[in-house]
Amino acid sequence: LMYKTNFMVADVYEAMALFQFAWLTLSVIGAHRYKKNKANGEVGEDSTQKGIEALTVQGIYLFIFSCLLEAVYYLFTTSVEAYVGAAALHFTIKVQSIKEQVHFFFLGCGTIASSAAIGNVVTVELTFHEFLEEFRPSAKFWSTKILVSIAFLQSLLLLIPPLDTMSVTEGNLFYASLLCIECFGVSLLHWIAWNPAEGWYTALDEYMRMKGNEGA
């Protein structure tokens, strides 16, 4: 259980990173809409911006909740097994008896939630492509999509022949090794995608200052 618990906690951080990326993307869209409205003589934030933000993050909230629920379950059961020991033998036996059912339950929840999160990200990319040209979203979105798929969808590979013939230890080693290789590739993609000299930072800073002044 300790092996799986480590990955579940990592998935929570990954889900939060996706949320921060979605928030940043929506802020960039809001900044460009604000800039466009300002050029047309309109003042303040577009009234539809908050609605767009709320609808976009619904699937991401579901993904965060799914990851958090799974992490809490495995943290709790692992902690009881590690720190209570023999006194919780009946509890540990019960946990082991439903291990497979719990695994597939969370796998199903995670697959649905991650698919919804990816769907939201793709929808934002396609719908607001005009406002994201300066943001150059292609590499940024791809890096996000890959990270989300790593969380749950990749675990389905171990159920497909010939990978389903591996032992538990072999499967765990294969999954962990694949993650290391993928994360290295994603880190290179982030290095290329996030150029600190891009012009959208200035527009975003002005927009965030405007929102801060409105909230004051």
Side-chain angles (χ1 to χ4, degrees):
L1 282 179
M2 185 64 72
Y3 167 88
K4 195 168 185 65
T5 302
N6 291 332
F7 280 105
M8 296 307 104
V9 174
D11 286 346
V12 174
Y13 284 100
E14 186 176 311
M16 290 304 300
L18 174 63
F19 173 78
Q20 293 297 326
F21 176 78
W23 175 85
L24 176 62
T25 304
L26 291 167
S27 296
V28 171
I29 293 169
H32 282 277
R33 296 180 76 187
Y34 169 71
K35 186 177 179 181
K36 185 177 180 180
N37 292 342
K38 188 178 179 180
N40 294 332
E42 301 176 19
V43 181
E45 185 179 15
D46 193 310
S47 58
T48 62
Q49 182 65 25
K50 290 183 178 179
I52 293 170
E53 292 175 1
L55 289 172
T56 301
V57 298
Q58 283 183 358
I60 299 172
Y61 281 144
L62 179 63
F63 182 51
I64 293 173
F65 176 76
S66 175
C67 291
L68 187 61
L69 183 64
E70 187 169 11
V72 168
Y73 172 81
Y74 279 104
L75 275 173
F76 175 73
T77 54
T78 303
S79 298
V80 170
E81 183 179 341
Y83 296 108
V84 180
L89 181 60
H90 180 72
F91 173 81
T92 303
I93 293 173
K94 184 65 178 177
V95 169
Q96 291 297 324
S97 67
I98 62 172
K99 182 174 67 174
E100 187 172 346
Q101 294 93 317
V102 169
H103 168 73
F104 284 109
F105 170 77
F106 282 125
L107 181 61
C109 290
T111 302
I112 294 170
S114 60
S115 298
I118 290 174
N120 282 11
V121 171
V122 171
T123 300
V124 168
E125 179 184 5
L126 296 178
T127 305
F128 298 102
H129 183 73
E130 176 189 351
F131 296 105
L132 293 171
E133 286 183 3
E134 191 177 15
F135 187 57
R136 294 193 295 179
S138 296
K140 297 178 178 70
F141 275 114
W142 269 109
S143 63
T144 304
K145 293 169 190 173
I146 292 171
L147 281 173
V148 174
S149 67
I150 285 174
F152 286 99
L153 301 181
Q154 186 171 275
S155 58
L156 296 174
L157 289 175
L158 297 177
L159 304 176
I160 301 174
L163 299 180
D164 62 338
T165 59
M166 292 191 295
S167 66
V168 174
T169 303
E170 290 173 337
N172 289 343
L173 284 172
F174 174 79
Y175 184 78
S177 301
L178 197 59
L179 279 179
C180 291
I181 296 170
E182 289 170 344
C183 285
F184 174 72
V186 169
S187 68
L188 295 178
L189 185 58
H190 278 297
W191 179 53
I192 296 170
W194 296 93
N195 185 349
E198 290 177 347
W200 59 269
Y201 288 104
T202 304
L204 179 62
D205 182 61
E206 182 182 351
Y207 175 68
M208 297 309 296
R209 289 176 185 274
M210 180 275 298
K211 288 188 71 174
N213 292 334
E214 285 188 351

